[in-house]
Amino acid sequence: METVKDDDDDEDSDGVPSEDVESAVPVDSGKGVVKFGWIRGVLVRCMLNIWGVMLFIRLSWVFGQAGWGLGIVVIVLSCVVTTITCLSMSAICTNGVVRGGGAYYMISRSLGPEFGGSIGLIFAFANAVAVAMYVVGFAEVVVDLLEDYDSLMVDEINDTRIVGMITVVFLLGIAVAGMEWEAKIVLLIILLVAIVNVFAGTFMPVDESKKKFGYFGYNSDIFLENFAPDFRGSETFFSVFSIFFPAATGILAGANISGDLKDAQGAIPKGTLLAIVITGITYLAASVVRDATGNATDLIVPGTVCNGTAVAACKLGYDFSSCAEKSCTFGSMNNFQVMTLVSAFGPLIIAGTFSATLSSALASLVSAPKVLQALCKDNIYTALRMFAKGYGKNDEPIRGYLITFIISVAFIAIGDLNAIAPIISNFFLASYALINFSCFHASYAKSPGWRPAYKYYNMWLSLFGALLCCAVMFVINWWAALLTYAIEILLYLYVTVKKPAVNWGSSTQAVTFVSAISNALALTRVKDHVKNFSGPSIKFISIDLSVRQCCIYQRFSNFFGSSTPFLFFLNPSTSFVRLQHFASGLGRMKPNTLMIGFKKHWRIAGKESVQSYVGILHDAFDFEYGITVLRVNEGLDVSHLVVEEVCAPPPQVAKMNASLAEASTQFKKKQPKGTLDVWWLFDDGGLTLLLPYILTTRKKWKDCKLRIFVPGQPGRCEVDREEMKSLLQKFRIECSDITVIDDIHVAPRPESMRKLEEMIEPFRLRGDNVQTEAKRQQPWMITDEELSTHSFRKVRLNELLQENSKSANLIIVSMPIARKESVSDYLYMAWLDVLTQDLPPTLLIRGNHKSVLTFYS
């Protein structure tokens, strides 16, 4: 089978996504590419991360603060969060091919670029900060050794910074050299031996020299004394949890390099879950008193009654009561090197600590650039496209390594592990919350595309996991949680506004589709009510235009907003339009308004074309549609502009075409300050009022004021105006001005009437006797009788429009209608023409006489 080349996998990719990047078949980029199995790629990597800095230099402190009762709760709660997240992650990653990007890839392909883009940056940043945490943990051990040998360079905090920065430079070199260095089994072997060394030490006879440091082996009195919590300073259960939780964040170490796994779908669930089980068990142990002086002479005088503080040590012959008055330097609360004290062979624990911290730091140093590279390849943030570039056979993100290095150095400068750990906890919990929510959302959407091979998950359990992560974030530090989500929301809004050109078939799209179908079916049981009129669902028709002219509707389609549905009819017959009236729409969601452009060249179009145009309007009324007719002076026909893109026209024609092109896109632009003039001449159900009001609620028209013009009787202008004002208030429609026209029935000027007569002269029938017979044979022609009916008012109305609304941004006028067989087609076209002649963009509106406005709430 031929392999499909994916643009995003190309070494020279510029970061722009292909049109259907998800459907492309993953390719092998060449010989020598390192791909990992589930043991080396996931299990080992997760265990190396989980067995990190917390196991060796903070676990005893956790049990000292929380007691082994709540200490176990801390570990179990961490395991619950990570286990639920792992189940959700397993479902997501077995629902299709997982590529590079880890958590970002899974969230973005499940929830879409808005969620994925926001959490992707945060997740990459969290991994970069994690590098600092592990390196600072390593530096603390080195500084403790320097202190033991009285070899500090400056002081503890500055030595931690110096050692940390030297270490991260060394790790950067290893990472750039190639990530295969990172997964060496030897690191895991050292860790396993170190852990066995700790357990073995707890069962060996306790050397007397260790007792002064607070270690007495397994003892019931110590266990009872250490059961209850003893939080000191500002520490609480959740502050201790926040410091320990980064130990559990290693569950994503394998998923973060999903693009470098041989079988990510199988490896991630199997390797991650097994890593959680193995590491979770090893964290449950402690057998050291909380405080010790380290002084071998602090012994109990025989016969002393043991009470107060340090009772367990007292019973075992040591007097550590002075630690209640002044701070001691040993015991689980004070000494971060308790694991070395407890173990059978101390130097092996130091080696294990080095292995754990350096391997975890290296894993995070690799994960952060990989996640950032995947994010940038999708071109979610165009400003970060430079980080999409990869180098070498493994497409290494060298630029990503450099930015990760800079972030790491900045946080290493803090020099305090307990200050860095809560920051990471906050960001990782946010990531876990979205992973769980992604699984829930995909399940809830019930999309046919959601078919995970991993079945041991539950959508409600995933939702619980998401809520649990959010709750823990706020309990740990409410303002940090708010800040994290504020950053996420801002990034989400940025991506939403930018609308990246990607389509991944996310569950958000699936929910939208399923909800639309469900709601459409539910609408069949809902009765119509005026309060539920949601605005025009528009059917847009073109008349006698070539196929290439469909571009004009792309230019005018945003008139009522991008969400308005419309339908194109090119060169249609009346019977075809009737068919479309019946066929369009779904259930109750059928079009309720017909929008059509004014037929500017009706006088030379031919009688069949004119009959078809007017016939469509009559059909729309028969089908109880509202009607809108749009006229702009330049016209709507821009078809010749397509042709002239190939053949350059003369300069004068080019200038005219430029004006036409500008006019055709005028409604896509933000409208300048001005007015929307509404000439509401008769009650059509309220559509003539409602549509302009809807326009003023749109962003492009928000600077335009609504002016209302209504006909009135001479001498009653003020009364009619107050009545109209009261009516609009009841309809909750605001306007800047109400004008009553009391001279609408005055005869038009003679020169205005002459324009109408010249317009219709070719279509008139002359002579009374001739007219009757000719009218039967030529019903589209105009007789003197029908000309005298209402024609004067159309001419007069144009004069009033010229006087009052010549400077309006848009004019909305109640559209006159012609009774079938009472007004000829050519006369009706003349009415529409003379009414809208020489005006700004004009929209004729006629409702179907069903109310769309109501007084009632």
Side-chain angles (χ1 to χ4, degrees):
M1 184 178 70
E2 183 180 354
T3 301
V4 179
K5 179 68 175 175
D6 180 3
D7 292 339
D8 278 2
D9 290 335
D10 194 318
E11 182 177 303
D12 295 323
S13 172
D14 62 357
V16 179
S18 62
E19 291 183 1
D20 191 14
V21 71
E22 298 309 305
S23 64
V25 179
V27 297
D28 186 354
S29 57
K31 296 181 180 180
V33 176
V34 179
K35 294 287 184 179
F36 300 110
W38 74 273
I39 295 179
R40 289 185 65 200
V42 183
L43 178 65
V44 172
R45 198 175 302 274
C46 288
M47 290 171 66
L48 286 173
N49 252 29
I50 296 174
W51 280 334
V53 63
M54 297 303 167
L55 174 64
F56 291 105
I57 63 177
R58 284 298 185 275
L59 184 62
S60 60
W61 178 87
V62 169
F63 277 89
Q65 291 279 354
W68 64 266
L70 288 182
I72 290 175
V73 175
V74 168
I75 295 173
V76 170
L77 179 59
S78 300
C79 289
V80 167
V81 171
T82 56
T83 301
I84 294 175
T85 304
C86 184
L87 294 176
S88 301
M89 182 174 67
S90 300
I92 295 172
C93 71
T94 58
N95 191 53
V97 176
V98 179
R99 300 185 183 176
Y104 158 72
Y105 184 91
M106 289 183 281
I107 293 173
S108 63
R109 269 49 174 187
S110 180
L111 290 179
E114 296 84 3
F115 282 103
S118 60
I119 203 62
L121 275 184
I122 290 178
F123 190 66
F125 181 77
N127 274 281
V129 178
V131 176
M133 183 190 73
Y134 294 123
V135 169
V136 168
F138 169 79
E140 280 190 4
V141 177
V142 174
V143 170
D144 285 342
L145 291 175
L146 292 175
E147 192 172 17
D148 289 342
Y149 291 97
D150 196 23
S151 302
L152 289 178
M153 293 174 281
V154 185
D155 53 42
E156 287 187 16
I157 187 70
N158 285 306
D159 280 19
T160 300
R161 293 166 178 162
I162 294 170
V163 173
M165 292 182 183
I166 294 173
T167 303
V168 79
V169 171
F170 173 73
L171 293 176
L172 178 65
I174 294 178
V176 172
M179 63 177 295
E180 63 268 23
W181 286 82
E182 180 203 354
K184 292 296 184 182
I185 295 295
V186 66
L187 293 175
L188 181 62
I189 294 174
I190 294 174
L191 276 175
L192 289 172
V193 172
I195 291 170
V196 171
N197 180 40
V198 172
F199 280 101
T202 62
F203 289 101
M204 294 175 62
V206 180
D207 188 279
E208 288 296 323
S209 63
K210 293 184 178 181
K211 291 183 178 180
K212 64 182 179 180
F213 299 118
Y215 173 56
F216 298 94
Y218 292 111
N219 183 279
S220 59
D221 291 326
I222 294 178
F223 266 71
L224 288 174
E225 185 175 87
N226 287 353
F227 175 78
D230 183 19
F231 297 115
R232 299 182 183 178
S234 61
E235 301 297 347
T236 64
F237 172 81
F238 283 102
S239 68
V240 171
F241 173 83
S242 69
I243 292 173
F244 174 81
F245 186 74
T249 60
I251 66 167
L252 290 179
N256 287 341
I257 61 160
S258 53
D260 297 287
L261 300 175
K262 294 176 182 176
D263 177 21
Q265 289 178 279
I268 292 175
K270 183 164 49 178
T272 307
L273 281 172
L274 186 57
I276 290 175
V277 172
I278 295 172
T279 55
I281 295 173
T282 60
Y283 270 118
L284 301 176
S287 57
V288 181
V289 296
R290 286 189 168 103
D291 298 290
T293 61
N295 191 343
T297 62
D298 288 339
L299 301 174
I300 292 295
V301 178
T304 301
V305 178
C306 294
N307 53 30
T309 60
V311 173
C314 176
K315 291 180 179 180
L316 293 170
Y318 280 81
D319 182 13
F320 296 152
S321 59
S322 61
C323 293
E325 300 175 0
K326 62 178 182 178
S327 179
C328 293
T329 55
F330 297 100
S332 61
M333 294 286 278
N334 310 300
N335 183 14
F336 294 147
Q337 303 301 324
V338 167
M339 288 292 189
T340 305
L341 179 69
V342 170
S343 66
F345 183 62
L348 191 57
I349 297 302
I350 295 174
T353 305
F354 285 179
S355 297
T357 53
L358 293 179
S359 62
S360 299
L362 201 52
S364 297
L365 186 58
V366 170
S367 297
K370 290 285 185 181
V371 173
L372 182 62
Q373 183 184 40
L375 174 67
C376 297
K377 278 189 174 182
D378 287 335
N379 203 24
I380 302 296
Y381 302 101
T382 54
L384 301 178
R385 187 183 299 180
M386 59 179 293
F387 294 106
K389 178 69 174 178
Y391 299 85
K393 62 184 180 182
N394 282 343
D395 196 33
E396 293 294 338
I398 304 300
R399 297 172 181 175
Y401 285 133
L402 294 177
I403 192 66
T404 302
F405 170 78
I406 293 171
I407 295 172
S408 302
V409 168
F411 279 86
I412 288 171
I414 295 175
D416 183 2
L417 184 64
N418 286 14
I420 300 173
I423 299 174
I424 298 173
S425 296
N426 194 57
F427 287 144
F428 275 109
L429 281 168
S431 302
Y432 293 175
L434 274 183
I435 290 176
N436 284 301
F437 184 74
S438 297
C439 182
F440 164 76
H441 201 267
S443 303
Y444 178 77
K446 297 179 181 177
S447 169
W450 175 248
R451 303 183 303 276
Y454 185 83
K455 303 298 182 183
Y456 302 103
Y457 74 96
N458 180 276
M459 60 181 287
W460 300 112
L461 183 63
S462 297
L463 179 60
F464 170 76
L467 296 176
L468 178 63
C469 291
C470 293
V472 171
M473 283 179 66
F474 279 95
V475 174
I476 288 175
N477 191 320
W478 66 268
W479 63 264
L482 286 177
L483 180 61
T484 301
Y485 281 110
I487 294 172
E488 282 187 22
I489 291 171
L490 288 175
L491 293 174
Y492 178 91
L493 292 176
Y494 173 83
V495 177
T496 302
V497 171
K498 289 297 182 181
K499 293 182 177 62
V502 294
N503 183 9
W504 296 322
S506 66
S507 61
T508 306
Q509 294 171 317
V511 166
T512 302
F513 179 78
V514 172
S515 298
I517 297 297
S518 300
N519 292 334
L521 294 175
L523 277 175
T524 60
R525 301 187 295 272
V526 177
K527 294 183 179 179
D528 287 330
H529 193 281
V530 59
K531 290 192 296 184
N532 296 327
F533 184 81
S534 58
S537 177
I538 293 178
K539 184 190 297 287
F540 202 170
I541 297 182
S542 67
I543 299 297
D544 296 334
L545 301 181
S546 60
V547 174
R548 66 185 179 227
Q549 287 176 272
C550 65
C551 63
I552 72 170
Y553 300 107
Q554 296 173 356
R555 296 172 183 261
F556 286 97
S557 62
N558 281 347
F559 191 78
F560 288 106
S562 59
S563 62
T564 303
F566 51 86
L567 184 62
F568 300 148
F569 292 157
L570 298 177
N571 303 315
S573 64
T574 304
S575 59
F576 176 74
V577 173
R578 287 175 179 169
L579 176 63
Q580 290 300 318
H581 283 320
F582 285 113
S584 60
L586 175 65
R588 297 291 292 277
M589 296 182 66
K590 291 183 177 179
N592 57 25
T593 305
L594 169 71
M595 187 170 190
I596 191 169
F598 177 69
K599 195 174 186 66
K600 184 177 181 181
H601 303 295
W602 61 272
R603 283 179 287 177
I604 59 174
K607 63 180 177 60
E608 291 83 5
S609 179
V610 172
Q611 285 180 308
S612 177
Y613 185 91
V614 177
I616 288 172
L617 298 180
H618 286 306
D619 286 344
F621 284 121
D622 291 340
F623 287 105
E624 297 184 335
Y625 276 42
I627 293 181
T628 63
V629 178
L630 175 65
R631 179 173 187 177
V632 294
N633 284 332
E634 295 82 0
L636 301 178
D637 186 358
V638 294
S639 60
H640 59 284
L641 298 183
V642 179
V643 178
E644 289 166 2
E645 288 179 0
V646 180
C647 302
Q652 290 183 340
V653 176
K655 186 176 181 180
M656 294 173 58
N657 289 345
S659 176
L660 176 58
E662 175 70 18
S664 69
T665 59
Q666 61 183 306
F667 299 124
K668 286 192 172 185
K669 302 174 182 177
K670 181 174 173 58
Q671 300 299 305
K673 288 185 177 181
T675 62
L676 282 174
D677 285 4
V678 181
W679 289 70
W680 193 26
L681 305 180
F682 35 75
D683 183 16
D684 59 351
L687 188 65
T688 306
L689 273 180
L690 182 61
L691 287 190
Y693 167 76
I694 292 174
L695 281 179
T696 61
T697 64
R698 298 300 189 261
K699 183 170 63 175
K700 293 176 182 176
W701 294 87
K702 68 181 182 67
D703 292 333
C704 294
K705 303 295 184 181
L706 207 61
R707 296 197 304 179
I708 308 295
F709 295 83
V710 293
Q713 298 296 326
R716 280 181 48 89
C717 288
E718 192 58 34
V719 175
D720 291 341
R721 185 179 182 279
E722 289 301 319
E723 288 179 354
M724 188 63 191
K725 182 179 179 181
S726 175
L727 184 66
L728 292 176
Q729 287 176 344
K730 291 178 181 179
F731 285 146
R732 287 91 60 201
I733 291 180
E734 296 182 1
C735 66
S736 63
D737 185 46
I738 300 174
T739 301
V740 177
I741 306 295
D742 62 354
D743 57 349
I744 194 170
H745 301 289
V746 174
R749 293 188 294 270
E751 59 269 23
S752 299
M753 282 303 301
R754 279 197 297 270
K755 288 183 180 179
L756 174 64
E757 292 171 355
E758 292 172 359
M759 186 183 296
I760 63 174
E761 180 61 31
F763 315 108
R764 293 186 64 176
L765 294 172
R766 299 290 185 178
D768 294 338
N769 296 330
V770 177
Q771 287 186 21
T772 304
E773 181 63 26
K775 184 67 174 178
R776 284 196 293 266
Q777 298 177 2
Q778 299 174 304
W780 58 87
M781 298 294 281
I782 303 172
T783 65
D784 293 339
E785 180 182 358
E786 61 182 326
L787 177 61
S788 62
T789 306
H790 302 301
S791 296
F792 295 105
R793 186 174 181 182
K794 311 304 182 295
V795 178
R796 174 57 181 160
L797 186 57
N798 179 263
E799 291 178 346
L800 294 170
L801 288 167
Q802 297 283 352
E803 293 172 10
N804 294 277
S805 299
K806 189 67 173 176
S807 61
N809 293 52
L810 179 68
I811 301 174
I812 295 95
V813 185
S814 294
M815 178 180 171
I817 59 173
R819 294 177 181 271
K820 286 184 179 179
E821 301 179 359
S822 297
V823 178
S824 64
D825 296 337
Y826 276 108
L827 179 58
Y828 184 55
M829 292 303 301
W831 283 0
L832 300 183
D833 197 345
V834 74
L835 174 61
T836 58
Q837 200 172 48
D838 301 324
L839 291 173
T842 304
L843 189 67
L844 299 175
I845 298 180
R846 187 65 175 238
N848 59 6
H849 296 278
K850 290 184 178 180
S851 295
V852 297
L853 296 172
T854 179
F855 298 159
Y856 305 105
S857 60

